[in-house]
Coordinates of all heavy atoms in Angstrom, one line a residue:
M1160 N -2.7 16.9 -8.8 CA -3.0 15.6 -8.4 C -3.7 15.8 -7.0 O -3.2 16.5 -6.1 CB -1.8 14.8 -8.3 CG -2.1 13.3 -8.0 SD -0.7 12.1 -8.0 CE 0.5 12.8 -9.1
P1161 N -4.9 15.2 -6.8 CA -5.5 15.3 -5.5 C -4.7 14.7 -4.3 O -3.8 13.9 -4.5 CB -6.8 14.4 -5.6 CG -7.0 14.2 -7.1 CD -5.6 14.4 -7.7
A1162 N -4.9 15.3 -3.1 CA -4.2 14.9 -1.9 C -4.2 13.3 -1.8 O -5.3 12.8 -1.8 CB -4.7 15.6 -0.7
G1163 N -3.1 12.7 -1.6 CA -3.1 11.3 -1.4 C -2.9 10.4 -2.6 O -2.5 9.3 -2.5
M1164 N -3.1 11.0 -3.8 CA -2.9 10.2 -5.0 C -1.5 9.8 -5.2 O -0.6 10.6 -5.0 CB -3.4 10.9 -6.2 CG -4.9 11.1 -6.3 SD -5.8 9.5 -6.5 CE -5.3 9.0 -8.1
I1165 N -1.2 8.6 -5.5 CA 0.1 8.0 -5.7 C 0.4 8.1 -7.2 O -0.3 7.7 -8.0 CB 0.2 6.6 -5.3 CG1 -0.2 6.4 -3.8 CG2 1.7 6.1 -5.5 CD1 -0.4 4.9 -3.4
D1166 N 1.6 8.7 -7.5 CA 2.0 8.8 -8.9 C 2.2 7.3 -9.3 O 2.8 6.5 -8.6 CB 3.4 9.5 -8.9 CG 3.9 9.6 -10.3 OD1 4.6 8.6 -10.7 OD2 3.7 10.6 -11.0
G1167 N 1.7 7.0 -10.5 CA 1.8 5.6 -11.0 C 3.2 5.0 -11.1 O 3.4 3.8 -10.9
R1168 N 4.2 5.9 -11.3 CA 5.6 5.4 -11.4 C 6.0 4.9 -10.0 O 6.7 3.9 -9.8 CB 6.5 6.4 -11.9 CG 6.2 6.7 -13.4 CD 6.9 8.0 -13.8 NE 6.4 9.1 -13.1 CZ 6.5 10.3 -13.4 NH1 7.3 10.7 -14.4 NH2 5.9 11.3 -12.7
R1169 N 5.6 5.7 -9.0 CA 5.9 5.3 -7.6 C 5.2 4.0 -7.2 O 5.8 3.1 -6.5 CB 5.6 6.4 -6.6 CG 6.4 7.6 -6.8 CD 6.0 8.7 -5.8 NE 6.7 8.5 -4.6 CZ 6.5 9.2 -3.5 NH1 5.6 10.2 -3.5 NH2 7.2 9.0 -2.4
L1170 N 4.0 3.9 -7.6 CA 3.2 2.6 -7.3 C 3.9 1.4 -8.0 O 4.1 0.4 -7.3 CB 1.8 2.8 -7.7 CG 0.8 1.7 -7.4 CD1 0.8 1.3 -6.0 CD2 -0.6 2.1 -7.9
K1171 N 4.2 1.6 -9.2 CA 4.9 0.5 -10.0 C 6.2 0.1 -9.3 O 6.6 -1.0 -9.2 CB 5.0 0.9 -11.4 CG 5.7 -0.2 -12.3 CD 4.8 -1.3 -12.5 CE 5.4 -2.2 -13.6 NZ 6.4 -3.2 -13.2
R1172 N 7.0 1.2 -8.9 CA 8.3 0.9 -8.3 C 8.1 0.1 -7.0 O 8.8 -0.8 -6.7 CB 9.0 2.2 -8.0 CG 10.4 2.0 -7.4 CD 11.0 3.3 -6.9 NE 12.4 3.1 -6.5 CZ 12.8 2.5 -5.3 NH1 11.9 2.1 -4.5 NH2 14.1 2.4 -5.0
A1173 N 7.1 0.6 -6.2 CA 6.8 -0.1 -4.9 C 6.5 -1.6 -5.2 O 6.9 -2.5 -4.4 CB 5.8 0.6 -4.1
W1174 N 5.7 -1.8 -6.2 CA 5.3 -3.2 -6.6 C 6.5 -4.0 -7.0 O 6.8 -5.1 -6.5 CB 4.3 -3.1 -7.7 CG 4.0 -4.5 -8.3 CD1 4.5 -5.0 -9.4 CD2 3.1 -5.5 -7.8 NE1 4.0 -6.3 -9.7 CE2 3.1 -6.6 -8.6 CE3 2.3 -5.5 -6.6 CZ2 2.3 -7.7 -8.4 CZ3 1.5 -6.7 -6.4 CH2 1.6 -7.7 -7.3
D1175 N 7.3 -3.4 -7.9 CA 8.5 -4.1 -8.4 C 9.5 -4.4 -7.3 O 10.2 -5.4 -7.3 CB 9.2 -3.3 -9.5 CG 8.4 -3.3 -10.8 OD1 7.5 -4.1 -10.9 OD2 8.7 -2.4 -11.6
Q1176 N 9.6 -3.5 -6.3 CA 10.6 -3.6 -5.2 C 10.0 -4.3 -4.0 O 10.7 -4.5 -3.0 CB 11.2 -2.3 -4.8 CG 11.9 -1.5 -5.9 CD 13.1 -2.2 -6.4 OE1 13.9 -2.7 -5.6 NE2 13.3 -2.3 -7.7
S1177 N 8.8 -4.7 -4.1 CA 8.1 -5.4 -2.9 C 8.1 -4.4 -1.7 O 8.5 -4.8 -0.6 CB 8.7 -6.7 -2.6 OG 7.8 -7.4 -1.7
E1178 N 7.7 -3.2 -1.9 CA 7.7 -2.1 -0.9 C 6.3 -1.5 -0.7 O 6.2 -0.3 -0.5 CB 8.8 -1.1 -1.2 CG 10.2 -1.6 -1.3 CD 11.2 -0.6 -1.7 OE1 10.8 0.4 -2.4 OE2 12.4 -0.8 -1.4
L1179 N 5.3 -2.3 -0.8 CA 4.0 -1.8 -0.7 C 3.7 -1.2 0.6 O 3.0 -0.1 0.8 CB 2.9 -2.8 -1.1 CG 3.1 -3.4 -2.5 CD1 2.1 -4.6 -2.7 CD2 2.8 -2.3 -3.5
G1180 N 4.1 -1.8 1.7 CA 3.9 -1.3 3.0 C 4.6 0.1 3.2 O 4.0 1.0 3.8
E1181 N 5.8 0.2 2.7 CA 6.6 1.4 2.8 C 5.9 2.5 2.0 O 5.8 3.7 2.4 CB 8.0 1.2 2.3 CG 8.9 0.4 3.2 CD 8.8 -1.1 2.9 OE1 7.8 -1.6 2.2 OE2 9.6 -1.9 3.5
L1182 N 5.3 2.2 0.9 CA 4.6 3.1 0.1 C 3.4 3.7 0.9 O 3.2 4.9 0.9 CB 4.1 2.5 -1.2 CG 3.2 3.3 -2.1 CD1 4.1 4.4 -2.8 CD2 2.5 2.4 -3.2
I1183 N 2.6 2.8 1.5 CA 1.4 3.3 2.2 C 1.8 4.1 3.4 O 1.2 5.1 3.7 CB 0.6 2.1 2.7 CG1 -0.1 1.4 1.5 CG2 -0.5 2.5 3.7 CD1 -1.0 2.3 0.7
L1184 N 2.9 3.8 4.1 CA 3.4 4.5 5.3 C 4.1 5.8 4.9 O 4.3 6.6 5.8 CB 4.3 3.6 6.1 CG 3.6 2.4 6.8 CD1 4.7 1.5 7.4 CD2 2.6 2.9 7.8
G1185 N 4.6 5.9 3.7 CA 5.3 7.1 3.3 C 6.8 7.1 3.8 O 7.4 8.1 4.0
Q1186 N 7.3 5.8 3.9 CA 8.7 5.7 4.3 C 9.6 5.9 3.1 O 9.1 5.7 2.0 CB 8.9 4.3 4.9 CG 8.1 4.1 6.2 CD 8.3 2.7 6.8 OE1 8.7 1.8 6.1 NE2 7.9 2.5 8.0
P1187 N 10.8 6.2 3.3 CA 11.8 6.4 2.2 C 11.8 5.2 1.4 O 11.8 4.0 1.9 CB 13.1 6.6 2.9 CG 12.8 7.1 4.3 CD 11.5 6.5 4.6
P1188 N 11.8 5.3 0.1 CA 11.9 6.5 -0.7 C 10.6 7.1 -1.1 O 10.5 7.8 -2.1 CB 12.7 6.1 -2.0 CG 12.2 4.7 -2.2 CD 12.0 4.1 -0.8
Y1189 N 9.5 6.8 -0.4 CA 8.2 7.2 -0.7 C 7.7 8.3 0.2 O 6.5 8.4 0.5 CB 7.2 6.0 -0.7 CG 7.7 4.8 -1.5 CD1 8.3 3.8 -0.9 CD2 7.6 4.9 -2.9 CE1 8.8 2.7 -1.7 CE2 8.1 3.8 -3.7 CZ 8.7 2.8 -3.1 OH 9.2 1.7 -3.8
D1190 N 8.5 9.2 0.6 CA 8.1 10.3 1.5 C 7.0 11.1 0.9 O 7.0 11.4 -0.3 CB 9.3 11.1 1.8 CG 10.5 10.4 2.5 OD1 10.3 9.8 3.5 OD2 11.6 10.3 1.8
Y1191 N 6.1 11.6 1.7 CA 5.0 12.4 1.3 C 5.2 13.8 1.9 O 5.8 14.0 2.9 CB 3.7 11.9 1.7 CG 3.4 10.5 1.1 CD1 3.4 9.4 1.8 CD2 3.1 10.4 -0.3 CE1 3.1 8.1 1.2 CE2 2.9 9.2 -0.9 CZ 2.9 8.1 -0.1 OH 2.7 6.9 -0.7
A1192 N 4.7 14.8 1.2 CA 4.7 16.2 1.6 C 3.9 16.3 2.9 O 3.0 15.5 3.1 CB 4.2 17.1 0.5
P1193 N 4.1 17.3 3.7 CA 3.4 17.5 5.0 C 1.9 17.4 4.8 O 1.2 16.9 5.6 CB 3.9 18.8 5.5 CG 5.2 18.9 5.0 CD 5.2 18.3 3.6
G1194 N 1.3 18.0 3.8 CA -0.1 18.0 3.5 C -0.7 16.7 3.1 O -1.9 16.5 3.0
E1195 N 0.2 15.7 2.8 CA -0.2 14.4 2.4 C -0.4 13.4 3.5 O -0.6 12.3 3.3 CB 0.8 13.9 1.4 CG 1.0 14.7 0.1 CD -0.2 14.5 -0.8 OE1 -0.5 13.3 -1.1 OE2 -0.8 15.5 -1.2
E1196 N -0.3 13.9 4.7 CA -0.4 13.0 5.9 C -1.7 13.1 6.6 O -1.8 12.9 7.8 CB 0.8 13.3 6.8 CG 2.1 12.8 6.3 CD 2.1 11.3 5.9 OE1 1.6 10.5 6.6 OE2 2.7 11.0 4.8
T1197 N -2.7 13.4 5.9 CA -4.1 13.5 6.5 C -4.7 12.1 6.4 O -4.3 11.3 5.6 CB -5.0 14.5 5.8 OG1 -5.2 14.1 4.4 CG2 -4.3 15.9 5.8
D1198 N -5.8 11.9 7.2 CA -6.5 10.6 7.1 C -7.1 10.5 5.7 O -7.1 9.4 5.2 CB -7.6 10.6 8.2 CG -7.1 10.4 9.6 OD1 -5.9 10.0 9.7 OD2 -7.8 10.8 10.5
S1199 N -7.6 11.5 5.1 CA -8.2 11.5 3.8 C -7.1 11.0 2.8 O -7.4 10.2 1.9 CB -8.8 12.8 3.4 OG -9.3 12.8 2.1
A1200 N -5.9 11.6 2.9 CA -4.8 11.3 1.9 C -4.4 9.8 2.1 O -4.2 9.1 1.2 CB -3.7 12.2 2.1
R1201 N -4.3 9.4 3.4 CA -4.0 8.0 3.6 C -5.0 7.0 3.0 O -4.7 6.0 2.4 CB -3.8 7.7 5.1 CG -2.6 8.4 5.7 CD -2.6 8.2 7.2 NE -1.5 8.8 7.8 CZ -1.5 9.7 8.8 NH1 -2.7 10.0 9.4 NH2 -0.4 10.3 9.3
F1202 N -6.3 7.3 3.2 CA -7.3 6.5 2.7 C -7.3 6.4 1.2 O -7.5 5.4 0.5 CB -8.7 6.9 3.2 CG -9.8 6.0 2.6 CD1 -10.1 4.8 3.1 CD2 -10.6 6.5 1.5 CE1 -11.0 4.0 2.6 CE2 -11.6 5.7 1.0 CZ -11.8 4.4 1.5
T1203 N -7.0 7.6 0.6 CA -6.9 7.7 -0.9 C -5.8 6.8 -1.4 O -6.0 6.0 -2.4 CB -6.7 9.1 -1.4 OG1 -7.8 9.9 -1.0 CG2 -6.5 9.2 -2.9
R1204 N -4.7 6.8 -0.7 CA -3.5 5.9 -1.1 C -3.9 4.5 -1.0 O -3.6 3.7 -1.9 CB -2.3 6.3 -0.3 CG -1.6 7.6 -0.7 CD -0.2 7.7 -0.1 NE -0.2 7.8 1.3 CZ -0.3 9.0 2.0 NH1 -0.4 10.1 1.3 NH2 -0.2 9.0 3.3
L1205 N -4.5 4.1 0.1 CA -4.9 2.7 0.3 C -5.9 2.3 -0.7 O -5.8 1.2 -1.2 CB -5.4 2.6 1.8 CG -5.8 1.1 2.2 CD1 -4.6 0.2 2.1 CD2 -6.3 1.1 3.6
H1206 N -6.9 3.1 -1.0 CA -7.9 2.8 -2.0 C -7.2 2.6 -3.4 O -7.6 1.7 -4.1 CB -8.9 3.9 -2.0 CG -10.1 3.5 -2.8 ND1 -10.2 3.6 -4.2 CD2 -11.3 3.0 -2.5 CE1 -11.4 3.2 -4.6 NE2 -12.1 2.8 -3.6
Q1207 N -6.3 3.5 -3.7 CA -5.6 3.4 -5.0 C -4.8 2.1 -5.0 O -4.8 1.4 -6.1 CB -4.7 4.6 -5.2 CG -4.1 4.6 -6.6 CD -3.3 5.9 -6.8 OE1 -3.1 6.7 -5.9 NE2 -2.7 6.0 -7.9
L1208 N -4.1 1.7 -3.9 CA -3.4 0.4 -3.9 C -4.3 -0.7 -4.1 O -4.0 -1.7 -4.8 CB -2.6 0.3 -2.6 CG -1.9 -1.0 -2.4 CD1 -0.8 -1.2 -3.4 CD2 -1.3 -1.1 -1.0
V1209 N -5.5 -0.7 -3.4 CA -6.4 -1.8 -3.6 C -6.9 -2.0 -5.0 O -6.9 -3.1 -5.6 CB -7.6 -1.7 -2.6 CG1 -8.8 -2.6 -3.0 CG2 -7.2 -1.9 -1.2
D1210 N -7.1 -0.9 -5.7 CA -7.5 -0.9 -7.1 C -6.4 -1.5 -7.9 O -6.6 -2.3 -8.8 CB -7.9 0.5 -7.6 CG -9.2 1.0 -7.1 OD1 -10.0 0.2 -6.5 OD2 -9.5 2.2 -7.2
F1211 N -5.2 -1.1 -7.6 CA -4.0 -1.6 -8.4 C -3.9 -3.1 -8.1 O -3.7 -3.9 -9.1 CB -2.8 -0.9 -7.9 CG -1.5 -1.4 -8.5 CD1 -1.0 -0.9 -9.7 CD2 -0.7 -2.3 -7.8 CE1 0.1 -1.4 -10.2 CE2 0.5 -2.8 -8.3 CZ 0.9 -2.3 -9.6
L1212 N -4.1 -3.6 -6.9 CA -3.9 -5.0 -6.6 C -5.0 -5.8 -7.2 O -4.8 -7.0 -7.6 CB -3.9 -5.2 -5.1 CG -2.7 -4.7 -4.3 CD1 -2.9 -4.7 -2.8 CD2 -1.4 -5.4 -4.8
R1213 N -6.2 -5.3 -7.4 CA -7.3 -6.0 -8.0 C -7.0 -6.3 -9.5 O -7.6 -7.2 -10.1 CB -8.6 -5.2 -7.9 CG -9.2 -5.3 -6.5 CD -10.6 -4.6 -6.5 NE -11.2 -4.9 -5.2 CZ -11.8 -3.9 -4.5 NH1 -11.8 -2.7 -4.9 NH2 -12.3 -4.2 -3.3
C1214 N -6.1 -5.5 -10.1 CA -5.7 -5.8 -11.5 C -4.6 -6.8 -11.6 O -4.2 -7.1 -12.7 CB -5.2 -4.4 -12.1 SG -6.5 -3.2 -12.2
R1215 N -4.2 -7.4 -10.5 CA -3.1 -8.4 -10.5 C -3.8 -9.8 -10.1 O -4.8 -9.8 -9.5 CB -2.1 -8.1 -9.4 CG -1.4 -6.8 -9.6 CD -0.6 -6.8 -10.9 NE 0.1 -5.5 -11.2 CZ -0.4 -4.6 -11.9 NH1 -1.6 -4.7 -12.5 NH2 0.3 -3.5 -12.2
T1216 N -3.2 -10.8 -10.6 CA -3.7 -12.2 -10.2 C -3.4 -12.5 -8.8 O -2.5 -11.9 -8.2 CB -3.1 -13.3 -11.1 OG1 -1.7 -13.4 -10.8 CG2 -3.3 -13.0 -12.6
A1217 N -4.1 -13.5 -8.2 CA -3.9 -13.9 -6.9 C -2.5 -14.4 -6.7 O -1.8 -14.1 -5.7 CB -4.9 -15.0 -6.5
T1218 N -1.9 -15.0 -7.7 CA -0.5 -15.5 -7.6 C 0.4 -14.3 -7.6 O 1.4 -14.4 -6.8 CB -0.2 -16.4 -8.8 OG1 -1.1 -17.5 -8.9 CG2 1.2 -16.9 -8.8
E1219 N 0.2 -13.3 -8.4 CA 1.0 -12.1 -8.4 C 1.0 -11.5 -7.0 O 2.0 -11.1 -6.4 CB 0.7 -11.2 -9.5 CG 1.0 -11.6 -10.9 CD 0.4 -10.7 -11.9 OE1 -0.7 -10.2 -11.8 OE2 1.1 -10.5 -12.9
R1220 N -0.3 -11.3 -6.5 CA -0.4 -10.6 -5.2 C 0.3 -11.4 -4.1 O 0.9 -10.9 -3.2 CB -1.9 -10.5 -4.9 CG -2.6 -9.4 -5.7 CD -4.0 -9.1 -5.2 NE -4.8 -10.3 -5.2 CZ -5.7 -10.6 -6.1 NH1 -5.9 -9.8 -7.2 NH2 -6.5 -11.6 -6.0
A1221 N 0.2 -12.8 -4.2 CA 0.8 -13.6 -3.1 C 2.3 -13.5 -3.1 O 2.9 -13.7 -2.0 CB 0.4 -15.1 -3.3
S1222 N 2.9 -13.0 -4.2 CA 4.3 -12.9 -4.2 C 4.8 -11.6 -3.5 O 6.0 -11.4 -3.2 CB 4.9 -13.0 -5.6 OG 4.5 -11.8 -6.4
R1223 N 3.9 -10.6 -3.4 CA 4.3 -9.3 -2.9 C 3.5 -8.8 -1.7 O 4.1 -8.1 -0.8 CB 4.1 -8.2 -4.0 CG 4.8 -8.5 -5.3 CD 6.1 -7.8 -5.3 NE 6.8 -7.7 -6.6 CZ 6.8 -8.5 -7.6 NH1 6.0 -9.4 -7.8 NH2 7.6 -8.3 -8.6
L1224 N 2.3 -9.1 -1.6 CA 1.4 -8.6 -0.6 C 1.7 -9.0 0.8 O 1.7 -8.1 1.7 CB -0.1 -8.9 -0.9 CG -1.1 -8.2 -0.2 CD1 -0.9 -6.7 -0.2 CD2 -2.5 -8.5 -0.7
P1225 N 2.1 -10.2 1.1 CA 2.4 -10.6 2.5 C 3.5 -9.7 3.1 O 3.4 -9.3 4.3 CB 2.8 -12.0 2.4 CG 2.1 -12.6 1.3 CD 2.1 -11.4 0.3
T1226 N 4.5 -9.4 2.3 CA 5.6 -8.5 2.8 C 5.1 -7.1 3.2 O 5.4 -6.6 4.3 CB 6.7 -8.4 1.8 OG1 7.2 -9.7 1.5 CG2 7.8 -7.5 2.3
G1227 N 4.2 -6.6 2.3 CA 3.6 -5.2 2.6 C 2.7 -5.2 3.8 O 2.7 -4.3 4.6
V1228 N 1.9 -6.3 4.0 CA 1.0 -6.4 5.1 C 1.8 -6.5 6.4 O 1.5 -5.9 7.4 CB 0.1 -7.6 4.9 CG1 -0.7 -7.9 6.2 CG2 -0.9 -7.3 3.8
R1229 N 2.9 -7.3 6.4 CA 3.8 -7.4 7.6 C 4.4 -6.0 8.0 O 4.4 -5.7 9.2 CB 4.9 -8.4 7.4 CG 4.5 -9.8 7.7 CD 5.7 -10.7 7.7 NE 6.5 -10.8 6.5 CZ 6.2 -11.5 5.4 NH1 5.1 -12.3 5.4 NH2 7.0 -11.5 4.4
V1230 N 4.8 -5.2 7.0 CA 5.3 -3.9 7.3 C 4.2 -3.0 8.0 O 4.5 -2.4 9.0 CB 5.8 -3.2 6.0 CG1 6.1 -1.7 6.3 CG2 7.1 -3.9 5.5
L1231 N 3.0 -3.1 7.5 CA 1.9 -2.4 8.1 C 1.6 -2.8 9.5 O 1.4 -2.1 10.4 CB 0.7 -2.4 7.2 CG 0.8 -1.8 5.8 CD1 -0.4 -2.1 4.9 CD2 1.0 -0.3 5.9
E1232 N 1.6 -4.2 9.7 CA 1.3 -4.7 11.0 C 2.3 -4.3 12.0 O 2.0 -4.2 13.2 CB 1.2 -6.2 10.9 CG 0.0 -6.8 10.2 CD 0.0 -8.3 10.0 OE1 1.1 -8.9 9.9 OE2 -1.1 -8.8 9.9
Q1233 N 3.6 -4.2 11.6 CA 4.6 -3.9 12.5 C 4.7 -2.4 12.9 O 5.3 -2.0 13.9 CB 6.0 -4.3 12.0 CG 6.1 -5.8 11.9 CD 7.3 -6.2 11.1 OE1 8.1 -5.4 10.5 NE2 7.5 -7.5 11.0
S1234 N 4.0 -1.6 12.2 CA 3.9 -0.1 12.5 C 3.1 0.1 13.8 O 2.2 -0.6 14.1 CB 3.3 0.6 11.3 OG 3.0 2.0 11.7
E1235 N 3.5 1.1 14.5 CA 2.7 1.5 15.7 C 1.5 2.4 15.3 O 0.8 2.7 16.2 CB 3.7 2.2 16.7 CG 4.7 1.3 17.2 CD 5.6 1.9 18.2 OE1 5.4 3.1 18.6 OE2 6.6 1.3 18.6
L1236 N 1.4 2.8 14.1 CA 0.4 3.7 13.7 C -1.0 2.9 13.5 O -1.0 1.9 12.8 CB 0.7 4.4 12.4 CG 2.0 5.2 12.4 CD1 2.4 5.7 11.0 CD2 1.8 6.4 13.4
G1237 N -2.0 3.4 14.1 CA -3.3 2.7 14.0 C -3.8 2.6 12.6 O -4.3 1.5 12.3
F1238 N -3.6 3.6 11.8 CA -4.1 3.5 10.4 C -3.4 2.4 9.6 O -4.0 1.7 8.8 CB -4.0 4.8 9.7 CG -2.7 5.1 9.0 CD1 -2.4 4.6 7.7 CD2 -1.7 5.8 9.7 CE1 -1.2 4.9 7.1 CE2 -0.5 6.0 9.1 CZ -0.2 5.6 7.8
A1239 N -2.1 2.2 9.9 CA -1.3 1.1 9.3 C -1.8 -0.3 9.7 O -2.0 -1.1 8.8 CB 0.2 1.3 9.6
Q1240 N -2.1 -0.4 10.9 CA -2.6 -1.7 11.4 C -4.0 -2.0 10.8 O -4.3 -3.1 10.4 CB -2.6 -1.8 12.9 CG -1.2 -1.8 13.4 CD -1.1 -1.6 14.9 OE1 -2.1 -1.6 15.6 NE2 0.1 -1.3 15.4
A1241 N -4.8 -1.0 10.7 CA -6.2 -1.1 10.1 C -6.0 -1.4 8.6 O -6.8 -2.2 8.1 CB -7.0 0.2 10.3
A1242 N -5.1 -0.8 8.0 CA -4.9 -1.1 6.6 C -4.4 -2.5 6.3 O -4.9 -3.2 5.4 CB -3.8 -0.1 6.0
A1243 N -3.6 -3.0 7.2 CA -3.2 -4.5 7.1 C -4.4 -5.4 7.3 O -4.5 -6.3 6.5 CB -2.1 -4.8 8.2
I1244 N -5.3 -5.1 8.2 CA -6.5 -5.9 8.4 C -7.3 -5.9 7.2 O -7.8 -6.9 6.7 CB -7.2 -5.4 9.7 CG1 -6.4 -5.8 10.9 CG2 -8.6 -6.1 9.7 CD1 -7.0 -5.1 12.2
W1245 N -7.5 -4.7 6.7 CA -8.4 -4.5 5.5 C -7.8 -5.2 4.3 O -8.5 -5.9 3.6 CB -8.5 -3.0 5.2 CG -9.6 -2.7 4.2 CD1 -10.9 -3.2 4.2 CD2 -9.6 -1.7 3.2 NE1 -11.6 -2.6 3.2 CE2 -10.9 -1.7 2.6 CE3 -8.6 -0.8 2.8 CZ2 -11.2 -0.8 1.5 CZ3 -8.9 0.1 1.7 CH2 -10.2 0.1 1.1
L1246 N -6.5 -5.1 4.1 CA -5.9 -5.8 2.9 C -6.0 -7.3 3.1 O -6.2 -8.0 2.1 CB -4.4 -5.4 2.8 CG -4.2 -4.0 2.3 CD1 -2.7 -3.6 2.4 CD2 -4.6 -3.8 0.8
R1247 N -5.8 -7.8 4.3 CA -5.9 -9.3 4.5 C -7.4 -9.8 4.2 O -7.6 -10.9 3.8 CB -5.5 -9.7 5.9 CG -4.0 -9.8 6.0 CD -3.6 -10.4 7.3 NE -3.4 -9.3 8.3 CZ -4.1 -9.2 9.4 NH1 -5.0 -10.1 9.7 NH2 -4.0 -8.2 10.2
Q1248 N -8.4 -8.9 4.6 CA -9.7 -9.3 4.4 C -10.1 -9.3 2.9 O -10.8 -10.2 2.4 CB -10.7 -8.4 5.2 CG -10.6 -8.7 6.6 CD -11.6 -7.8 7.4 OE1 -12.1 -6.8 6.9 NE2 -11.7 -8.1 8.7
I1249 N -9.6 -8.3 2.2 CA -9.9 -8.2 0.7 C -9.1 -9.3 -0.1 O -9.7 -9.9 -1.0 CB -9.6 -6.8 0.2 CG1 -10.5 -5.8 0.9 CG2 -9.7 -6.7 -1.3 CD1 -10.1 -4.3 0.6
F1250 N -7.9 -9.5 0.3 CA -7.0 -10.4 -0.4 C -6.5 -11.5 0.5 O -5.4 -11.3 1.2 CB -5.8 -9.6 -1.1 CG -6.2 -8.4 -1.9 CD1 -6.0 -7.1 -1.5 CD2 -6.9 -8.6 -3.2 CE1 -6.4 -6.1 -2.3 CE2 -7.2 -7.6 -3.9 CZ -7.0 -6.3 -3.5
P1251 N -7.1 -12.6 0.6 CA -6.7 -13.7 1.5 C -5.2 -14.1 1.3 O -4.5 -14.5 2.2 CB -7.6 -14.8 1.2 CG -8.8 -14.2 0.6 CD -8.3 -13.0 -0.1
E1252 N -4.7 -13.9 0.0 CA -3.3 -14.3 -0.3 C -2.3 -13.3 0.4 O -1.2 -13.5 0.4 CB -3.1 -14.4 -1.8 CG -3.3 -13.1 -2.5 CD -4.8 -12.9 -2.9 OE1 -5.7 -13.6 -2.4 OE2 -5.0 -12.0 -3.7
G1253 N -2.9 -12.3 1.0 CA -2.0 -11.3 1.7 C -1.7 -11.7 3.1 O -1.0 -11.0 3.8
G1254 N -2.1 -12.9 3.5 CA -1.8 -13.4 4.8 C -2.9 -13.5 5.7 O -2.8 -13.6 7.0
G1255 N -4.1 -13.5 5.2 CA -5.3 -13.5 6.0 C -5.9 -14.9 6.3 O -5.5 -15.9 5.9

Protein backbone atom coordinates (compact mmCIF):
# COMPACT_ATOMS: atom_id res chain seq x y z
CA MET A 1 0.00 0.00 0.00
CA PRO A 2 1.45 3.43 -0.92
CA ALA A 3 2.57 5.73 1.90
CA GLY A 4 -0.41 7.45 3.45
CA MET A 5 -3.12 5.20 2.07
CA ILE A 6 -5.76 4.41 4.66
CA ASP A 7 -6.96 0.83 4.92
CA GLY A 8 -10.65 0.85 4.02
CA ARG A 9 -11.60 -0.88 7.26
CA ARG A 10 -9.92 1.87 9.28
CA LEU A 11 -11.65 4.55 7.24
CA LYS A 12 -15.04 2.88 7.72
CA ARG A 13 -14.39 2.49 11.47
CA ALA A 14 -13.46 6.18 11.76
CA TRP A 15 -16.66 7.08 9.91
CA ASP A 16 -18.82 4.81 12.09
CA GLN A 17 -17.21 6.08 15.31
CA SER A 18 -17.21 9.75 14.21
CA GLU A 19 -13.40 9.85 14.51
CA LEU A 20 -12.44 11.39 11.18
CA GLY A 21 -10.20 14.02 12.78
CA GLU A 22 -8.37 11.38 14.79
CA LEU A 23 -7.91 9.34 11.63
CA ILE A 24 -6.28 12.23 9.76
CA LEU A 25 -4.07 13.09 12.75
CA GLY A 26 -3.05 9.48 13.36
CA GLN A 27 -4.29 9.57 16.94
CA PRO A 28 -5.12 6.29 18.72
CA PRO A 29 -6.45 3.92 17.55
CA TYR A 30 -5.31 5.19 14.14
CA ASP A 31 -1.58 5.39 14.82
CA TYR A 32 0.65 5.49 11.75
CA ALA A 33 4.10 4.01 11.28
CA PRO A 34 7.02 6.49 11.45
CA GLY A 35 7.34 6.58 7.64
CA GLU A 36 3.67 7.54 7.36
CA GLU A 37 4.16 10.98 8.90
CA THR A 38 5.43 12.78 5.82
CA ASP A 39 3.61 15.68 4.16
CA SER A 40 2.97 13.47 1.16
CA ALA A 41 1.41 10.74 3.32
CA ARG A 42 -0.76 13.28 5.14
CA PHE A 43 -2.00 14.73 1.86
CA THR A 44 -2.73 11.24 0.53
CA ARG A 45 -4.84 10.47 3.62
CA LEU A 46 -6.71 13.75 3.35
CA HIS A 47 -7.35 13.23 -0.36
CA GLN A 48 -8.62 9.71 0.31
CA LEU A 49 -10.94 11.02 3.03
CA VAL A 50 -12.32 13.69 0.67
CA ASP A 51 -13.02 11.02 -1.97
CA PHE A 52 -14.77 8.91 0.68
CA LEU A 53 -16.85 11.89 1.84
CA ARG A 54 -17.91 12.73 -1.71
CA CYS A 55 -19.59 9.31 -1.82
CA ARG A 56 -21.80 10.30 1.14
CA THR A 57 -24.84 12.56 1.06
CA ALA A 58 -24.70 16.05 2.55
CA THR A 59 -26.96 14.84 5.36
CA GLU A 60 -24.64 11.95 6.15
CA ARG A 61 -21.61 14.24 6.10
CA ALA A 62 -23.36 16.78 8.34
CA SER A 63 -23.76 14.10 11.00
CA ARG A 64 -20.02 13.29 11.19
CA LEU A 65 -17.88 15.94 9.54
CA PRO A 66 -18.27 18.84 12.00
CA THR A 67 -16.80 16.72 14.81
CA GLY A 68 -13.80 15.78 12.68
CA VAL A 69 -13.24 19.35 11.57
CA ARG A 70 -13.28 20.55 15.20
CA VAL A 71 -10.64 17.96 16.13
CA LEU A 72 -8.44 19.22 13.30
CA GLU A 73 -8.99 22.87 14.23
CA GLN A 74 -8.01 22.21 17.84
CA SER A 75 -4.71 20.64 16.82
CA GLU A 76 -1.59 22.76 17.02
CA LEU A 77 -0.29 21.17 13.82
CA GLY A 78 -0.42 23.46 10.80
CA PHE A 79 -1.39 20.70 8.40
CA ALA A 80 -4.37 19.80 10.61
CA GLN A 81 -5.65 23.37 10.65
CA ALA A 82 -5.15 23.61 6.88
CA ALA A 83 -7.03 20.32 6.46
CA ALA A 84 -9.94 21.73 8.51
CA ILE A 85 -10.11 24.81 6.29
CA TRP A 86 -9.98 22.69 3.15
CA LEU A 87 -12.72 20.33 4.38
CA ARG A 88 -14.97 23.27 5.32
CA GLN A 89 -14.51 24.82 1.87
CA ILE A 90 -15.26 21.59 0.03
CA PHE A 91 -18.12 20.51 2.30
CA PRO A 92 -20.08 23.46 3.75
CA GLU A 93 -21.97 21.04 5.99
CA GLY A 94 -18.64 20.48 7.76
CA GLY A 95 -19.00 23.76 9.58
CA GLY A 96 -18.00 26.29 6.93
